[in-house]
Amino acid sequence: MAQGASEAVEAVHFSFMTDEEVRKHSVVKVTSPNLLDTLGGPLPGGLYDPAMGPLSERSQCKSCGQGTVHCPGHCGHIELVSPVFNPLLFNMLHNLLQRTCFYCFHFRASKEEVEKCVSELELIAKGDVIGPKTMDVLSPDNSADREESEGSHMSCTTDDLKLQDRSEYNKRPSWDNFQFTEAMAVIDRILKTKSEKCSNCETKNPKINKPSFGRFHMVCLIASHWSL
């Protein structure tokens, strides 16, 4: 006997569609900036292409054959000449640029802090949301005891986690709310570290301003600022 669908929602996963997924989901490639032809009808390949849905109550959708009441509407796509920034990720990109060294191309934070962040994210991805919290309170002297404790994740280093089979991480279809919250807390912590001077190459970086949405402005360093 077939089992019915559950009434409870276990998880909801949100992500950005890839270029291949957008093309696969699209029913028409929009190639014309014109909306209507000379007779006032929808122009094929335009923004009113009938494949994306009917425009009037008497017309039918060319994709599903339904009218305006039952047609859900279908997506088209536009092939862009050059890559563009996703506006939803623009602020995140600005934060990353402010914390990236333009000389050694690493995070301006110390190597130890970055490795600690990676280790915490690896544990969270594995399902251990308690481990990253205890990493701050446990001292290095207790590392031997942590290795002997059964079921403890604190003895795992970054290199140890890299050697593990990553397939067990990929088996998880999505993160739960606790994992997402803890992961964002780890990322926010390292992104809050603001420093013009890189901890790795000790070079002072220019400032990255955001005069308006969608634009970056790099403030050049004068000669006196290059002194370390």
Side-chain angles (χ1 to χ4, degrees):
M1 182 176 179
Q3 185 178 1
S6 174
E7 296 181 356
V9 178
E10 296 182 357
V12 178
H13 179 72
F14 295 95
S15 62
F16 293 98
M17 298 177 65
T18 63
D19 294 343
E20 292 74 16
E21 291 173 338
V22 171
R23 295 187 182 97
K24 183 179 180 180
H25 190 66
S26 173
V27 296
V28 61
K29 178 180 178 180
V30 178
T31 56
S32 175
N34 300 322
L35 304 180
L36 305 174
D37 56 20
T38 55
L39 299 178
L43 186 68
L47 295 176
Y48 286 168
D49 192 301
M52 292 186 283
L55 292 180
S56 63
E57 296 181 354
R58 293 179 294 179
S59 59
Q60 292 182 339
C61 176
K62 286 190 175 181
S63 295
C64 63
Q66 301 294 328
T68 56
V69 177
H70 300 288
C71 176
H74 310 277
C75 296
H77 75 281
I78 301 175
E79 293 286 347
L80 301 177
V81 179
S82 301
V84 297
F85 293 120
N86 188 324
L88 298 178
L89 301 177
F90 186 76
N91 291 333
M92 175 63 73
L93 176 62
H94 182 232
N95 290 334
L96 290 175
L97 289 177
Q98 287 182 312
R99 289 150 183 85
T100 303
C101 180
F102 291 92
Y103 299 93
C104 67
F105 305 105
H106 291 85
F107 281 111
R108 300 179 192 178
S110 63
K111 182 180 179 180
E112 293 75 15
E113 181 65 23
V114 174
E115 289 182 348
K116 180 175 179 292
C117 178
V118 172
S119 299
E120 293 177 354
L121 292 176
E122 292 279 6
L123 292 175
I124 294 173
K126 194 175 181 179
D128 183 5
V129 296
I130 304 299
K133 295 180 179 297
T134 57
M135 291 179 68
D136 295 330
V137 298
L138 293 176
S139 61
D141 297 336
N142 297 330
S143 58
D145 297 334
R146 295 198 303 270
E147 291 178 359
E148 296 176 358
S149 61
E150 182 179 359
S152 175
H153 298 285
M154 294 304 96
S155 60
C156 295
T157 62
T158 306
D159 295 334
D160 295 333
L161 290 171
K162 289 181 179 179
L163 295 176
Q164 294 178 359
D165 186 7
R166 297 299 180 89
S167 61
E168 60 180 302
Y169 298 96
N170 298 329
K171 290 179 181 178
R172 301 182 62 88
S174 61
W175 287 15
D176 56 33
N177 185 54
F178 294 103
Q179 285 177 288
F180 178 78
T181 302
E182 294 300 324
M184 290 304 300
V186 173
I187 296 175
D188 289 341
R189 188 188 71 236
I190 195 171
L191 290 182
K192 286 181 179 179
T193 306
K194 292 185 178 181
S195 176
E196 295 183 4
K197 189 175 182 180
C198 178
S199 301
N200 300 287
C201 65
E202 298 185 351
T203 304
K204 191 172 183 180
N205 284 263
K207 294 182 179 180
I208 305 296
N209 296 331
K210 187 174 58 174
S212 61
F213 187 83
R215 292 183 56 196
F216 290 133
H217 180 256
M218 180 181 294
V219 180
C220 298
L221 297 172
I222 60 177
S224 59
H225 287 175
W226 286 96
S227 59
L228 300 178

